Amino acid sequence: MRTLTARVLLLVITATVLHGCKQFSLADANVLQKGMQAGAVLAVVAKGPQDSYEITLPSDTTMRFHVMVFRMHVGNSKGDYYAAFRNDSLFYWGYPYEWNRHPDSIIREVGLQTTSVRARDAGIRY
Amino acid sequence: MTRSLLCSALGGAMLIPACGPTYLTFDDAARLRIGAPRQQVLQSLPLRPSEQYQLHESDLHIDAYPLHLVTVVSITWVRTGPNAAFTPHAKEHPEKFLLLYKADTLRYWGTATDFARSEDSAITSIAPDIHRRLFPGKD
């Protein structure tokens, strides 16, 4: 009986440790496709977003986006990684620096607005 | 006593700059904005560029920073004498993050690959020149 309890305990500890090791990586970003629903994205990535925001564009308040902020792990570096949905359809994804330099002004504005809201709500400053 | 305290404080102060970041991170790069003046960008980033290039057009300028991504380390085994053992010598090859300025105004940024795959044809047209500067002899 004691051996069985020890085995169950070991299994629970192992499962907890393995779950804690899951990370969002380039392998996750590479399976994302334009038009995916938010639920489908969450189902395919190894680790869900650190934060999520509802973003409204200051230049056009009818344009609303749901933005997931993942923590991307590449080698020994970590960085924020945004995925934005419009009407539950994946619109664009990438590092904040990729949003900021994009030729499309809407993509630039969503990225900057997310960074601004994140700084205000979570106290994260770049 | 006072002298030793003063020496310790001075020693500590001299060590602080050496402890600053040696790599740019993607979170640092999130501060970059199209059209920002070079002076403002230099102040907003935690380290100075490691290299600078003037491109073929006189008003195009590149600042290169080492990027904290995957640090590839190549190891060569070197024998220092006829009876000496081979010892490993590691050399780091960090990725470079490039900032392109046109007339001292920030125009584009990213890794060399980002320049080559840009949606902007003006950027892709200068990508081969950047590649030649970064990887001479690898055309």
Side-chain angles (χ1 to χ4, degrees), chain B residues 43-109:
Chain B
Q43 285 171 359
S44 73
L45 296 177
L47 70 160
R48 306 288 294 181
S50 56
E51 293 157 66
Q52 298 180 26
Y53 310 97
Q54 203 72 37
L55 293 185
H56 59 288
E57 287 179 42
S58 60
D59 64 344
L60 288 178
H61 172 96
I62 292 268
D63 280 349
Y65 295 80
L67 178 68
H68 186 211
L69 187 62
V70 182
T71 305
V72 179
V73 179
S74 64
I75 296 175
T76 50
W77 292 85
V78 177
R79 198 170 195 183
T80 51
N83 298 320
F86 283 92
T87 51
H89 285 256
K91 190 180 178 191
E92 289 191 343
H93 308 278
E95 177 77 88
K96 282 179 186 160
F97 197 82
L98 312 169
L99 274 60
L100 173 71
Y101 294 92
K102 187 174 173 65
D104 265 359
T105 300
L106 190 56
R107 172 78 174 77
Y108 194 76
W109 54 89

Side-chain angles (χ1 to χ4, degrees), chain B residues 26-47:
Chain B
F26 284 136
D27 284 348
D28 294 327
R31 298 171 196 161
L32 304 173
R33 304 283 185 270
I34 288 174
R38 182 166 180 262
Q39 205 54 39
Q40 185 185 316
V41 174
L42 289 172
Q43 285 171 359
S44 73
L45 296 177
L47 70 160

Side-chain angles (χ1 to χ4, degrees), chain A residues 71 74-77 79-80 95-98 100-103 108 112 126, chain B residues 26-27 29-34 68-70 97 108-110 114 117 119:
Chain A
R71 198 69 185 151
V74 179
N76 46 9
S77 86
D80 279 356
Y95 284 104
Y97 82 84
E98 292 175 312
N100 296 354
R101 67 171 191 205
H102 203 280
R108 280 205 306 275
L112 292 173
Y126 296 111
Chain B
F26 284 136
D27 284 348
R31 298 171 196 161
L32 304 173
R33 304 283 185 270
I34 288 174
H68 186 211
L69 187 62
V70 182
F97 197 82
Y108 194 76
W109 54 89
D114 287 332
R117 66 176 189 185
E119 296 89 348

